[in-house]
Amino acid sequence: MTAQLNARGDVAVVVPAAGAGVRLGPGAPKALRLLEGEPLLVHAIRRTAAAPSVRMIVVAAPPAEVEAVHDLLAPVAPVIVVAGGAERQDSVAAALAVVPDDTGIVLVHDAARCLAPAELFERVAAAVRDGADAVIPTLPVVDTIKEVAADGTVLGTVDRSVLRAVQTPQGFRAGTLRAAHAAAADSHTDDAGAVEKLGRAVLCVPGSDFALKITRPIDLALATHLLRLDRTEP
């Protein structure tokens, strides 16, 4: 059954999904790889659409797959699909271009974090709604982190208590995100980094273990376990 988005919601979600995902091995674009018989992108959109504040979802797909992606997602939720770019930020910019100016909050979410729960979208959006320019969900770093020289020599041990692993969805005041993309002079791996370069504060909120990023084959195995666990919980 197709999910119905909230026409009175104040959140647009942008999903860059045009990447090849070479670290996941050869095959389809990463967002279209299968997890328990369904593409990662389908899982991602299903959970995005379940967030009550979401009014609009825009997916940036591989240019050759725009129509196919639209047909794939039509039974899941009403989405707009645009052609993505060569780099992640190009895809975000292409999707952001079709978000109406009267939308106050924009979340940027990676299809590779396809099990991020609806509650995480709401947590991020609520923090933006409460006044933050930019919000990122994070988890504490649990491994010991070493700074290492080019020759492999350890230079020191980093204090992990001040480190966080960053997830998506990342949330922004729409004007802040647009300004960050307009000012970006070089590539960035996440949109919060572009906002940081504007000199704006970025707020952290608790992330979710389910929002892991599927990058390598072992991540697919872990995501399969989490998905099965999620299905068995009452």
Side-chain angles (χ1 to χ4, degrees):
M1 185 173 67
T2 304
Q4 297 302 310
L5 303 183
N6 182 5
R8 297 184 178 181
D10 59 351
V11 174
V13 181
V14 166
V15 183
V22 293
R23 285 176 290 180
L24 199 53
K30 183 180 4 180
L32 302 181
R33 304 292 180 93
L34 298 184
L35 170 63
E36 289 286 87
E38 290 186 309
L40 304 184
L41 184 58
V42 168
H43 290 283
I45 297 303
R46 183 179 294 125
R47 285 159 178 75
T48 301
S53 297
V54 173
R55 180 177 73 180
M56 178 184 194
I57 302 172
V58 186
V59 175
E65 304 287 345
V66 169
E67 185 175 347
V69 168
H70 183 273
D71 292 344
L72 174 71
L73 296 177
V76 182
V79 299
I80 297 172
V81 183
V82 300
E87 302 293 338
R88 181 184 184 280
Q89 68 193 65
D90 299 324
S91 293
V92 173
L96 187 60
V98 304
V99 174
D101 291 338
D102 64 352
T103 302
I105 300 172
V106 177
L107 306 188
V108 182
H109 184 49
D110 292 336
R113 298 185 187 273
C114 63
L115 299 184
E119 308 88 77
L120 187 59
F121 289 81
E122 292 300 303
R123 187 181 307 145
V124 172
V128 178
R129 205 174 286 122
D130 286 344
D133 270 328
V135 178
I136 55 175
T138 66
L139 293 176
V141 173
V142 296
D143 292 320
T144 296
I145 304 297
K146 301 286 186 180
E147 182 183 2
V148 180
D151 65 358
T153 303
V154 171
L155 299 176
T157 302
V158 181
D159 179 8
R160 68 185 180 192
S161 69
V162 299
L163 300 179
R164 296 294 182 272
V166 180
Q167 302 178 321
T168 69
Q170 298 184 355
F172 308 90
R173 290 186 179 275
T176 299
L177 182 59
R178 293 183 195 279
H181 272 265
D186 51 16
S187 62
H188 48 265
T189 58
D190 75 341
D191 297 274
V195 171
E196 291 166 30
K197 290 180 180 179
L198 286 181
R200 308 284 182 87
V202 177
L203 177 68
C204 296
V205 298
S208 167
D209 289 330
F210 279 82
L212 81 161
K213 185 177 183 181
I214 297 177
T215 302
R216 303 162 299 165
I218 194 171
D219 301 323
L220 269 176
L222 178 56
T224 298
H225 172 74
L226 288 175
L227 182 58
R228 293 173 180 174
L229 179 67
D230 187 45
R231 287 171 175 168
T232 60
E233 289 185 351

